[in-house]
Amino acid sequence: MSDRDKDVEILALRHQIMVLERQLGADVRVRFTSENRFFLATLLTSLPRAVLRRLRLVVRPDTILRWHREIVKQRHARTCRPKRRGRLPAVRSIRAPVLRLVRENPAWGYRRVHGELITLGLKVAPSTVWEILQQEGIDPAPERGSTTWADFLRSQADALLACDFIETVTLTGQRQYILTVIEHAIRRIRVLGTTAHPTAAWVTQAIRNLVMDLEDAGMLGTVPDSRPGRQVPRSHG
């Protein structure tokens, strides 16, 4: 195609655009897809702005430039987007000494650990030390150094005994109180005696008999409840 043919085609296209604009009116806006915007923006922005303003286009030259800016912005946004959001995780060279210091010094808080890291030449923020301890499920220093009631019960379950009275009524209508003991380790219940009038002396003697039986056995739940030679508390009534 010669240059004259190209000029003729351009004039024909410009004339057709004028006819279409006249028929559609000024209120009708031509809608472009994203692919059409990309094509026009990359094609026309290579021209100087003065030349671009003299072209006969369906949209204004400023719209073409705005499309080009949006394309460039989206391209940079995709390439500059971090692979993971938020702050970078603490490196292992910092995490390992933090956990070791806390393990060897349970009474140290995160600020004391931070000070020791600074002394060792490791530059880290106190909040980073706190986050490492949180991620590992390590409690603060005051809670770490103290033993809770639940921890105490779990550690002493093999040696714990619980005693209580069971109140009952006999066939004759007499009220009786049965002293029982349960061994937490094996869930064994021992009946120490029964009485209608429990007193401190009666309960003390019953517990003494149980303690002597357990001491002779060397462990809980391996001997019968009563043994010869032991004073068994009797009912007072």
Side-chain angles (χ1 to χ4, degrees):
M1 182 181 293
S2 62
D3 294 340
R4 182 178 180 281
D5 296 337
K6 292 180 181 179
D7 294 339
V8 171
E9 183 181 5
I10 292 174
L11 290 175
L13 293 175
R14 290 171 61 93
H15 183 73
Q16 293 178 45
I17 292 175
M18 293 176 57
V19 173
L20 291 176
E21 289 179 345
R22 193 180 306 114
Q23 292 180 357
L24 294 176
D27 298 335
V28 179
R29 296 180 58 184
V30 181
R31 299 185 180 276
F32 292 88
T33 61
S34 57
E35 292 80 4
N36 295 332
R37 292 181 180 180
F38 179 81
F39 176 77
L40 293 176
T42 54
L43 178 65
L44 298 177
T45 50
S46 60
L47 300 175
R49 181 167 299 188
V51 177
L52 183 62
R53 295 185 183 278
R54 291 198 301 266
L55 296 180
R56 184 69 183 185
L57 301 173
V58 179
V59 296
R60 295 183 302 173
D62 292 340
T63 304
I64 299 294
L65 297 176
R66 179 171 57 83
W67 290 351
H68 185 264
R69 288 195 299 269
E70 292 176 355
I71 293 172
V72 174
K73 185 187 302 182
Q74 293 175 2
R75 183 181 303 171
H76 284 288
R78 285 193 298 267
T79 56
C80 298
R81 182 180 303 170
K83 295 182 179 180
R84 54 184 303 172
R85 299 181 182 275
R87 296 170 54 185
L88 295 177
V91 295
R92 294 183 179 179
S93 59
I94 297 177
R95 183 180 296 270
V98 168
L99 298 179
R100 180 178 178 181
L101 288 173
V102 172
R103 228 176 7 250
E104 297 177 355
N105 305 276
W108 286 8
Y110 74 96
R111 290 194 175 277
R112 175 66 185 275
V113 174
H114 170 256
E116 293 296 327
L117 293 176
I118 297 299
T119 304
L120 295 174
L122 298 176
K123 295 183 179 181
V124 60
S127 59
T128 303
V129 178
W130 183 85
E131 289 179 0
I132 293 175
L133 299 181
Q134 287 289 106
Q135 293 172 1
E136 296 294 331
I138 300 177
D139 296 327
E143 300 178 9
R144 213 183 315 134
S146 61
T147 302
T148 62
W149 180 245
D151 295 336
F152 173 77
L153 292 178
R154 282 192 294 268
S155 62
Q156 302 296 327
D158 294 340
L160 285 179
L161 298 175
C163 61
D164 199 359
F165 280 102
I166 300 176
E167 183 179 353
T168 184
V169 179
T170 63
L171 295 177
T172 60
Q174 185 181 20
R175 190 175 301 277
Q176 291 287 322
Y177 298 92
I178 305 172
L179 180 59
T180 59
V181 171
I182 182 174
E183 303 174 17
H184 283 271
I186 59 176
R187 294 293 190 270
R188 179 179 180 180
I189 298 178
R190 295 173 177 265
V191 178
L192 302 185
T194 177
T195 179
H197 304 286
T199 60
W202 184 88
V203 174
T204 302
Q205 185 60 48
I207 298 300
R208 285 175 179 171
N209 293 345
L210 174 64
V211 171
M212 287 187 290
D213 288 340
L214 297 179
E215 288 180 349
D216 292 344
M219 61 177 61
L220 296 177
T222 59
V223 295
D225 296 338
S226 61
R227 295 179 49 146
R230 296 293 186 268
Q231 181 181 355
V232 181
R234 299 179 179 178
S235 173
H236 293 269

